[in-house]
């Protein structure tokens, strides 16, 4: 059970029967129910003919599921929370901190969620499947070579039909620095995700800049063009 380690946001009705979110018994769980009122029925129910079914009107709070809990996930999650969105980051083990070597230790997903929730932000942590079920919008912020495995831990129905922004690069560090791309040229990670989840609306974006620039493009000093790729024109337009 999540207990007081997490501040979970209640599941949409589709997942409630399976108790996918294992609501916490901690006193702070009551505050999290303010988000539940904004969770609409049927999220993650798969593809639909409505182009923006999983995207709310501009200005409305959105439930965003981030697949991953590393530097990119936490940095982007912080910015989205500041913008007023509800965010769940995820990991195989949400209680496990990440050793970044000379860069230090990155807090566990559960710690990130607790710190943000205690500041009044709508933050949560869970495993990959829980973040996929929670999100109206999904963001892949995992290590690129592990992205398909991480997404594969989720229910396919919780990915199909949603916009999935892929930030990752399939970097291969097995030969040292600088890393190589595990696959490239006539193939890409975004294409592999799209091929695996034909009903998902995959948009490749922001994978050519660091997390710090993602949330603060002013660091570049001047206007810069970024590549955005995908098969769904409406999804690309919405992301940009």
């Amino acid at each position: 059970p999540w207990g007081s380690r997490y501040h979970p946001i209640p599941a949409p009705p589709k997942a409630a029967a399976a108790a996918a979110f294992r609501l916490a018994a901690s006193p702070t769980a009551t505050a999290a129910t303010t988000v539940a009122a904004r969770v609409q029925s049927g999220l993650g129910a798969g593809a639909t003919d409505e182009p923006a079914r999983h995207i709310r009107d501009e200005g409305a709070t959105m439930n965003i599921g981030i697949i991953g809990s590393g530097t990119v996930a936490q940095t982007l999650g912080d910015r989205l929370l500041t913008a007023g969105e509800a965010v769940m980051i995820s990991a195989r083990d949400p209680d496990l901190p990440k050793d970044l070597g000379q860069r230090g230790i990155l807090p566990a997903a559960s710690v990130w969620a607790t710190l943000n929730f205690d500041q009044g932000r709508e933050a949560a942590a869970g495993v990959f499947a829980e973040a996929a079920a929670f999100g109206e919008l999904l963001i892949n912020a995992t290590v690129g070579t592990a992205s398909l495995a991480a997404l594969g831990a989720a229910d396919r129905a919780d990915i199909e039909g949603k916009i999935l922004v892929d930030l990752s690069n399939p970097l291969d560090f097995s030969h040292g620095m600088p890393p190589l791309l595990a696959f490239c040229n006539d193939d890409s990670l975004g294409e592999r995700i799209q091929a695996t989840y034909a009903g998902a609306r995959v948009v490749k974006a922001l994978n050519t800049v660091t997390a710090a620039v993602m949330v603060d493009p002013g660091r570049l000093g001047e206007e810069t063009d970024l590549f955005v790729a995908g098969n769904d024109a409406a999804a690309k337009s919405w992301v940009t």
Side-chain angles (χ1 to χ4, degrees):
W2 287 21
S4 59
R5 297 177 301 156
Y6 302 91
H7 296 294
I9 298 166
K14 170 182 176 294
F21 282 77
R22 303 191 301 279
L23 300 181
S26 64
T28 52
T30 302
T33 61
T34 58
V35 181
R38 293 195 294 272
V39 180
Q40 299 174 344
S41 299
L43 296 181
T48 172
D49 292 333
E50 300 175 35
R53 177 175 182 276
H54 295 290
I55 303 302
R56 303 201 181 174
D57 293 336
E58 186 174 355
T61 298
M62 180 183 298
N63 297 334
I64 300 175
I66 298 181
I67 311 302
S69 62
T71 299
V72 172
Q74 294 192 21
T75 302
L76 193 58
D78 286 339
R79 182 66 185 87
L80 292 168
L81 289 171
T82 299
E85 312 297 358
V87 178
M88 177 182 286
I89 67 172
S90 57
R92 287 185 177 84
D93 181 353
D95 281 332
L96 187 66
K98 295 181 181 293
D99 186 351
L100 303 180
Q102 294 181 345
R103 291 183 293 161
I105 302 295
L106 189 68
S110 57
V111 173
W112 175 91
T114 299
L115 292 173
N116 277 289
F117 191 90
D118 288 347
Q119 294 178 44
R121 296 173 171 178
E122 295 171 351
V127 296
F128 298 136
E130 291 165 331
F134 171 73
E136 297 167 89
L137 170 70
L138 301 181
I139 297 174
N140 174 38
T142 59
V143 174
T145 51
S147 292
L148 286 172
L151 291 166
D155 187 332
R156 176 175 290 273
D158 290 327
I159 296 176
E160 300 281 358
K162 296 180 182 180
I163 289 179
L164 192 165
V165 183
D166 175 29
L167 311 180
S168 298
N169 292 309
L171 299 179
D172 178 4
F173 292 92
S174 63
H175 301 288
M177 294 292 290
L180 303 174
L181 287 172
F183 40 87
C184 59
N185 297 327
D186 61 350
D187 196 5
S188 69
L189 177 58
E191 289 174 284
R192 290 192 178 192
I193 294 174
Q194 186 66 84
T196 304
Y197 301 95
R201 308 170 69 191
V202 179
V203 177
K204 189 78 175 188
L206 297 176
N207 62 305
T208 58
V209 296
T210 65
V213 173
M214 289 181 192
V215 300
D216 183 13
R219 287 171 174 262
L220 295 176
E222 60 183 38
E223 290 189 2
T224 304
D225 292 327
L226 293 179
F227 293 105
V228 177
N231 294 337
D232 189 316
K236 286 188 291 184
S237 177
W238 187 89
V239 169
T240 56

